[in-house]
Amino acid sequence: QVQLVEYGGGLVQAGGSLRLSCAASGSIFSINAMGWYRQGPGKQRELVAAITSGGNTNYVDSVKGRFTISRDNVAKTVYLQMNSLKPEDTAVYYCYARIIEAWGASWNDYWGQGTQVTVSS
C-alpha cells in the first residue's frame, strides 16, 4: 500500500520561510509527477507546484519567484521551499504523486494527509 507522509508545516511570520517535504513509501514501481496543492480558508484546492520525474517544473503564478519545488527520486521525496511567505499563502498543503505499483499496472494518484501552513501578518 502506498503512503505519502508530509512534514514541515507550521506558523511563520510574513516574509519568513518554511520547507515542506513529502516522502512516498510502500509498493512503488515508479513515480511520475509529484507536486503540491493547497486549500485556503473558503477557497478551492489549487495546484501550487509540480515536478516531473525528469525535473521539469511548473508553478501557479502567485508563487513564482518565491517557492521552489524539487525532488529526490532515490528517496522518493518531494520538497517545497517557500520563501517570502505572505498571509495569503495560509492554507493546508497537500502533496501528491502519480505512482505505478507494478509493471503493467495503471498509474494512480496518491495524496498526503495535509499539513497546515499559517502565515501571520
Side-chain angles (χ1 to χ4, degrees), residues 70-92:
S70 60
R71 64 189 279 173
D72 181 332
N73 290 329
V74 174
K76 301 183 181 66
T77 300
V78 62
Y79 306 94
L80 186 67
Q81 178 66 42
M82 305 184 293
N83 298 328
S84 302
L85 282 160
K86 303 176 181 180
E88 51 264 44
D89 294 318
T90 295
V92 178

Side-chain angles (χ1 to χ4, degrees), residues 4-7 20-24 34 36 76-79 95:
L4 299 182
V5 179
E6 300 156 357
Y7 303 92
L20 306 182
S21 60
C22 172
M34 303 182 82
W36 295 89
K76 301 183 181 66
T77 300
V78 62
Y79 306 94
C95 72

Side-chain angles (χ1 to χ4, degrees), residues 24-41:
S25 63
S27 177
I28 298 172
F29 180 77
S30 182
I31 302 177
N32 191 345
M34 303 182 82
W36 295 89
Y37 280 75
R38 68 184 179 187
Q39 187 164 17

Side-chain angles (χ1 to χ4, degrees), residues 33-100:
M34 303 182 82
W36 295 89
Y37 280 75
R38 68 184 179 187
Q39 187 164 17
K43 298 180 181 178
Q44 289 190 328
R45 189 176 293 194
E46 66 172 350
L47 175 65
V48 177
I51 184 168
T52 67
S53 57
N56 293 317
T57 60
N58 68 282
Y59 300 88
V60 67
D61 285 347
S62 60
V63 308
K64 286 180 179 177
R66 300 188 297 122
F67 291 11
T68 303
I69 190 170
S70 60
R71 64 189 279 173
D72 181 332
N73 290 329
V74 174
K76 301 183 181 66
T77 300
V78 62
Y79 306 94
L80 186 67
Q81 178 66 42
M82 305 184 293
N83 298 328
S84 302
L85 282 160
K86 303 176 181 180
E88 51 264 44
D89 294 318
T90 295
V92 178
Y93 284 70
Y94 300 89
C95 72
Y96 84 92
R98 180 154 293 176
I99 292 170
I100 188 169

